[in-house]
Amino acid sequence: MANIQQVASLAGVSVATVSRVVNGQLTVSPKTRIKVEQAIKKLNYEPSMLGRNLRTSESRILLVLIPTISNPFYLEIIRGIEDIAISQDYNILLCQTDSNPERENTYFNLVRKKMADGIISMDPAVNIETLVSLSENHAIIQCSEYTIDSGIPFVTIDNEGASFRAVKHLIKLGHNKIALINTDEKYLYARQRQMGYQKALEEHGISINQDYIFHTKQIGLEYGQQAMKKILNLEKRPTAVFAVSDLLAIGALKEINSLGLKVPNDIALVGFDQIDFSNMTNPTLTTIAQPMYKMGTLAAKMLINKIKGEKVESIILDHELVIREST
Amino acid sequence: MANIQQVASLAGVSVATVSRVVNGQLTVSPKTRIKVEQAIKKLNYEPSMLGRNLRTSESRILLVLIPTISNPFYLEIIRGIEDIAISQDYNILLCQTDSNPERENTYFNLVRKKMADGIISMDPAVNIETLVSLSENHAIIQCSEYTIDSGIPFVTIDNEGASFRAVKHLIKLGHNKIALINTDEKYLYARQRQMGYQKALEEHGISINQDYIFHTKQIGLEYGQQAMKKILNLEKRPTAVFAVSDLLAIGALKEINSLGLKVPNDIALVGFDQIDFSNMTNPTLTTIAQPMYKMGTLAAKMLINKIKGEKVESIILDHELVIREST
DNA sequence: CTGAAAGCGCTAACAT
DNA sequence: ATGTTAGCGCTTTCAG
């Protein structure tokens, strides 16, 4: 484990020159450059990030906050973030908060303690007050889930519009008893998607039946299953269900199948996110596709620009309705 | 962004004393402790990990190498690693290699450059020569996929035994035409699981039919689907299929369902890993359960002990056959 | 084109 | 119980 000092000695130059060579500066004569490179090779020298990080006062680490890694929705986003990060010599610390404030605080501390240079938050359950106050001194971007007028730049999709399209699709197929499996209304995306659902119904003169609207505590297969159980027990059973996440929809589908009912004939089903598994179910799931990879790359680029001190603008990306067998 | 120096000035003590307070040393008098704590609060001081890390020559970061995050098998393992890591003030850098040697090398460099204190490798496609040579100077543990006689400690399960049980279960149900969907034999786990398959057949006097053994390039839904397509085109169609991963099995199931065939009546199916989705399929999947969370916690503990310079022993954990609707 | 030297923020050995 | 001080490994002015 040689250090820069030893390399300098062996090459017969100063540490400054070694540093210049290592960092690819052009002000070094070819002759000395070669001397230094040989010394580096001979000593198997690897510059320590520890020294460099302290000196430059940066960690080259990006924090990525997600509720849980078990929702495949985040997979491609993370991939996008990672690709940009690596290309710019950053690394990402993937942090699952599990909606646990204590855990979240542990992660926030990392940026306070300079262990991370910035945060991409995708956690709907994030403590937004803390996030905003943190954003005064640190680079922060929100991805997918965001906060209006917080001053924190975000990249997301038009949740209300996407939801509107999904429900309109069901209406066009002749459904008018359409249930909604939503998550907790404390999340912005949940409110937006519910709004899209309601607007689609209203536009077609279908009155909103509160008995058809269900809220799950979290996103997860089992929550979708439970919600569907309730829906199937309804007196006036809906003929279609819109779930605000594929995970919920797949859980719901499981419940429908278990009871021997058929999708889409007995009940039509629409999900949200187009995760890989949504194409493996029987029948395959109609769903909303989000440009997840792109969302990730943009969030990463925005964050890195923000770290550099540049001004960044929020972005709203397009979505798509993917019609498959479940409708 | 105050530093230790400013806190010391304000509190009227030396930086050493501030450091002692911050690190909870007991050799500080209550009186000065309070003075220091007040100064810390007043200045909103957060100790910089950058300074500390350089000084202690550690990064408090653990590298976790996985092929891809999209196999849910890794989810609980990661959770286990994370829980232990956080409890010991470590953070984990989740690294997807995508079986890309270049990407892998980028990650290896992180430990060479002291950006990480150790590695938990779960990547079957890891360059084992590099890993072994790295293990001479760095703490490394293999988890799930391992290498015999490499000197690198590992935690895993008895792949051959698990596979043996799965196939034996099929035989007991009366099947004798059993296909195997395996991955590339260059991976140890693939060879071990194939060995278990073969031994089970042999033990029951069933001759091994090479036409029934399929190898996919990777683990993924679509690969399972493709393999199943071939299996269903076989002249003597098997009555049962054992896939070495739930992801492959779910892809296979998709293909079976698409053709209107019924599981388990037309074809029985067994997977491996007991991922969440294996209980959402129709029918639910018989599979092998691994103690994933435990595996993760053990791997993390082993790594941290190894970092401390302790000697660590490899561990082989138990598995379980979970019989569900697909057999 | 190169070197000397300061210093990033912290810990810990040593002294008192 | 507390302070002084060296130094972890690096980058970056400033001089020459």
Side-chain angles (χ1 to χ4, degrees), chain B residues 56-247:
Chain B
T56 58
S57 189
E58 60 178 8
S59 63
R60 310 276 338 161
I61 284 180
L62 270 25
L63 229 60
V64 176
L65 235 51
I66 55 175
T68 162
I69 203 179
S70 50
N71 187 346
F73 165 61
Y74 296 108
L75 256 42
E76 282 300 303
I77 301 185
I78 292 169
R79 208 174 275 281
I81 296 175
E82 219 172 28
D83 283 350
I84 295 300
I86 289 196
S87 75
Q88 313 236 26
D89 267 321
Y90 280 94
N91 288 286
I92 70 169
L93 220 46
L94 197 58
C95 305
Q96 307 186 58
T97 63
D98 288 317
S99 305
N100 174 349
E102 205 180 318
R103 190 59 77 96
E104 181 184 271
N105 203 47
T106 307
Y107 292 132
F108 282 157
N109 273 335
L110 293 180
V111 41
R112 296 196 182 102
K113 293 184 179 174
K114 301 210 180 261
M115 187 83 175
D117 294 341
I119 301 179
I120 294 175
S121 171
M122 304 199 263
D123 185 7
V126 74
N127 182 327
I128 189 65
E129 286 78 29
T130 315
L131 199 67
V132 168
S133 87
L134 222 50
S135 75
E136 290 166 18
N137 295 305
H138 303 278
I140 298 183
I141 302 289
Q142 281 193 295
C143 178
S144 183
E145 178 76 355
Y146 64 103
T147 317
I148 298 168
D149 290 335
S150 67
I152 300 176
F154 56 83
V155 49
T156 188
I157 60 157
D158 175 7
N159 281 301
E160 186 184 312
S163 178
F164 181 88
R165 273 174 78 175
V167 176
K168 187 163 179 172
H169 165 65
L170 288 170
I171 295 171
K172 286 230 170 128
L173 289 172
H175 297 283
N176 52 32
K177 292 197 300 245
I178 303 172
L180 173 70
I181 303 182
N182 199 358
T183 56
D184 200 310
E185 282 189 272
K186 67 184 168 194
Y187 307 134
L188 178 63
Y189 80 91
R191 294 196 298 276
Q192 291 175 329
R193 291 181 192 179
Q194 182 151 336
M195 185 59 76
Y197 162 85
Q198 291 176 348
K199 283 200 178 164
L201 293 184
E202 279 166 7
E203 192 182 285
H204 292 81
I206 304 170
S207 63
I208 289 151
N209 182 346
Q210 291 298 333
D211 294 345
Y212 281 179
I213 300 179
F214 293 81
H215 295 280
T216 66
K217 269 183 70 168
Q218 292 173 48
I219 287 179
L221 297 165
E222 61 283 21
Y223 295 96
Q225 215 172 346
Q226 285 164 16
M228 199 66 211
K229 202 168 278 179
K230 291 186 200 149
I231 291 175
L232 293 175
N233 280 330
L234 247 32
E235 268 197 28
K236 287 190 186 169
R237 183 186 285 172
T239 61
V241 174
F242 171 48
V244 300
S245 155
D246 281 349
L247 240 35

Side-chain angles (χ1 to χ4, degrees), chain A residues 100-315:
Chain A
N100 174 348
E102 204 180 319
R103 189 61 78 97
E104 181 184 271
N105 204 48
T106 308
Y107 293 131
F108 282 157
N109 274 335
L110 293 181
V111 42
R112 295 196 184 102
K113 292 183 180 175
K114 301 210 183 261
M115 187 83 175
D117 295 340
I119 301 179
I120 295 174
S121 171
M122 303 199 264
D123 186 6
V126 74
N127 181 326
I128 190 64
E129 286 79 29
T130 315
L131 200 67
V132 167
S133 85
L134 223 47
S135 76
E136 288 166 20
N137 296 304
H138 303 277
I140 298 183
I141 302 290
Q142 281 194 294
C143 179
S144 183
E145 178 76 357
Y146 64 103
T147 317
I148 299 168
D149 290 334
S150 67
I152 300 177
F154 56 84
V155 50
T156 188
I157 61 158
D158 175 7
N159 281 302
E160 185 183 314
S163 178
F164 181 87
R165 273 175 77 177
V167 176
K168 188 164 179 172
H169 164 65
L170 287 170
I171 295 170
K172 286 229 170 129
L173 289 172
H175 297 281
N176 54 31
K177 294 200 297 254
I178 303 172
L180 173 69
I181 303 182
N182 199 359
T183 57
D184 200 309
E185 282 188 274
K186 67 184 166 192
Y187 307 134
L188 178 62
Y189 80 91
R191 294 196 298 276
Q192 291 174 329
R193 290 180 192 178
Q194 181 153 338
M195 185 58 77
Y197 162 86
Q198 291 175 346
K199 283 200 177 163
L201 294 184
E202 280 166 8
E203 194 184 281
H204 292 82
I206 304 170
S207 63
I208 289 152
N209 182 346
Q210 290 298 334
D211 294 344
Y212 283 179
I213 300 179
F214 293 81
H215 296 280
T216 66
K217 266 183 74 167
Q218 291 172 49
I219 287 180
L221 296 165
E222 61 282 21
Y223 294 96
Q225 213 172 347
Q226 285 165 16
M228 198 66 211
K229 200 169 278 178
K230 290 186 201 151
I231 291 175
L232 292 176
N233 280 331
L234 247 32
E235 269 197 29
K236 288 189 185 169
R237 183 187 284 175
T239 61
V241 174
F242 171 47
V244 299
S245 154
D246 281 349
L247 241 34
L248 295 172
I250 291 171
L253 179 59
K254 168 73 189 162
E255 187 62 23
I256 300 174
N257 281 333
S258 305
L259 267 67
L261 295 171
K262 291 297 165 201
V263 174
N265 291 340
D266 296 326
I267 290 196
L269 187 58
V270 177
F272 206 115
D273 291 343
Q274 201 197 23
I275 64 174
D276 278 357
F277 284 99
S278 70
N279 202 26
M280 288 293 130
T281 52
N282 188 17
T284 55
L285 214 56
T286 292
T287 188
I288 298 281
Q290 303 191 42
M292 304 181 275
Y293 182 83
K294 177 146 204 192
M295 212 186 265
T297 57
L298 284 173
K301 284 178 188 168
M302 287 163 70
L303 181 59
I304 292 173
N305 285 341
K306 187 98 187 165
I307 290 172
K308 288 182 189 157
E310 295 171 19
K311 201 171 151 40
V312 308
E313 304 286 347
S314 296
I315 301 174

